[in-house]
Amino acid sequence: MSYPIKAISSLIFRIQIFINGFIALGFGIQQHKIGLFILVLLNLLALLIPVDSNRKKLVKINRCFQIIFQAIFIPVSISFLIQSTIYNWNSELIIFLLIYAIIMYIPYTVVLIAEIKTKTMQVIITLFLFVFNGLSSLDVMTMDTSIVNNPIIKVLSNSSFLGALIFMTIILIAMYAWDYQLPKIVLARQSNLKVLIALGIFSIWFTIWNGFGSGTNLLNLFISYDFHAHFTATNILSGLEAGIAEELTFRFAILTILLSVFKNSRFKVYYGVFLSSLLFGLIHLPNTSVGQSINNTILQVLFAIALGAFLSSIYLYTDWFFGPVIIHSLIDIFAFASSGSQIMTGKVTIDDYFYSIIEALIFIIISLFLLKSVKNRNKFNFHF
């Protein structure tokens, strides 16, 4: 990333630091909350970070701290601003707020995240940004405010769709600054047309069957469907959020970084796909904290690992990033619409475990077939 871009971003970032600090200070005085003065001081520490890369240990520690602190303090300052003003936050102001929410992390990304060069830290920061900015930044921005019950805000908050757009802005800039290419969107010339057609047919069938299949035993498992569904704005945007944020996290950023780590290994595609898919599965474990049973969560983790391998192999085979995004979005949209819930419900039986294992094995077999083809290609240069 060129020095002029860094310099301009650094200037905007410093202006943002002062403005956010002033908002927090004013809100603290208004509400008689002395503790906010500490937050203001911690916020000002970001001014000590230089524009260019600096290897001093204290600067590194401050940078890592500010990556976490500013990710929280930036939306918190917006919440303070809304709470401390007497203006009527109507639709026009809310739209302006939503647009600002997407772009306000750009200088933060260029100044703080772009200088992280250690690949392990890049993976950790990617996961942090996904969990916090991708899922909860809007909730933090609107907490305790008068607009928290606004219909637009409620839909965007319940679906985390705005968070997906925020995360997309951050991770694309970060990956470019880390010297990786942007997601590939042109079909690889070595892709076999018959394989692509077979993958398309299987993916279409699976998204429909996974969402609307109503079979209860092996006799009617694949032929019984119930197309009763609720395609609400929240369900649709929730599915799109998963398709955008989760694919950018695990099929683009983390997979790309891992392939770079193992670039000298003949098994790099297998290592990259396995580890990124494992992380994708484990990221679903916290669903137990929102009311999902342990058994359902175990099934979800197992499904996510296998699905992650399937989507990763499709991306590596086709070079078409929109493929996994579309498949993942449709799977979740149909599942949310048919169940009316964004978490897995119902009692888990032995049959459920059996069917899930069979399902996972099918995904893994397809993945291994595609990855073998990718591994045998004459030239494999993926994003680095």
Side-chain angles (χ1 to χ4, degrees), residues 21-258:
F22 179 78
I23 291 172
L25 182 63
F27 183 75
I29 294 173
Q30 182 188 68
Q31 300 295 322
H32 305 291
K33 296 182 178 181
I34 308 300
L36 292 182
F37 296 149
I38 298 177
L39 295 183
V40 174
L41 292 175
L42 294 175
N43 171 63
L44 293 177
L45 288 177
L47 299 175
L48 301 178
I49 297 177
V51 177
D52 55 343
S53 179
N54 193 310
R55 297 185 179 276
K56 291 183 179 180
K57 189 172 182 179
L58 287 177
V59 173
K60 289 183 177 181
I61 294 174
N62 189 23
R63 184 184 301 280
C64 291
F65 170 74
Q66 291 296 333
I67 287 174
I68 299 173
F69 179 80
Q70 292 297 329
I72 300 171
F73 190 71
I74 291 173
V76 164
S77 65
I78 300 299
S79 175
F80 291 160
L81 177 64
I82 298 173
Q83 293 180 65
S84 61
T85 57
I86 60 175
Y87 297 108
N88 178 25
W89 284 81
N90 51 31
S91 297
E92 289 77 15
L93 282 175
I94 289 176
I95 292 174
F96 173 80
L97 171 67
L98 298 178
I99 294 174
Y100 176 67
I102 296 174
I103 65 175
M104 67 184 181
Y105 283 102
I106 294 177
Y108 157 87
T109 305
V110 174
V111 173
L112 298 179
I113 297 176
E115 297 301 329
I116 301 297
K117 302 303 181 183
T118 306
K119 297 186 186 301
T120 302
M121 285 300 299
Q122 290 173 354
V123 171
I124 294 173
I125 288 172
T126 298
L127 289 172
F128 166 74
L129 294 172
F130 165 72
V131 171
F132 184 80
N133 297 100
L135 299 178
S136 59
S137 55
L138 181 61
D139 293 336
V140 175
M141 223 180 301
T142 58
M143 64 179 180
D144 300 324
T145 68
S146 59
I147 65 172
V148 69
N149 291 319
N150 178 277
I152 297 176
I153 296 296
K154 289 187 72 173
V155 169
L156 292 176
S157 178
N158 291 337
S159 65
S160 297
F161 181 70
L162 183 69
L165 299 182
I166 294 172
F167 176 77
M168 178 177 68
T169 303
I170 295 174
I171 201 62
L172 290 179
I173 296 174
M175 290 292 284
Y176 177 78
W178 291 339
D179 296 326
Y180 302 105
Q181 298 176 17
L182 296 178
K184 293 186 176 184
I185 56 174
V186 178
L187 280 173
R189 293 182 178 180
Q190 293 174 294
S191 299
N192 184 288
L193 180 60
K194 292 181 180 178
V195 173
L196 293 178
I197 293 174
L199 285 174
I201 293 174
F202 174 78
S203 298
I204 292 171
W205 167 80
F206 179 78
T207 55
I208 296 174
W209 175 77
N210 183 70
F212 305 110
S214 58
T216 56
N217 54 62
L218 287 175
L219 295 177
N220 63 3
L221 184 63
F222 300 110
I223 60 175
S224 180
Y225 294 86
D226 180 2
F227 291 101
H228 180 74
H230 299 87
F231 288 100
T232 64
T234 298
N235 289 335
I236 293 173
L237 291 179
S238 294
L240 291 174
E241 178 275 329
I244 295 171
E246 293 181 7
E247 292 308 302
L248 283 170
T249 302
F250 298 97
R251 253 62 70 189
F252 169 53
I254 291 179
L255 177 59
T256 301
I257 297 170
L258 290 173

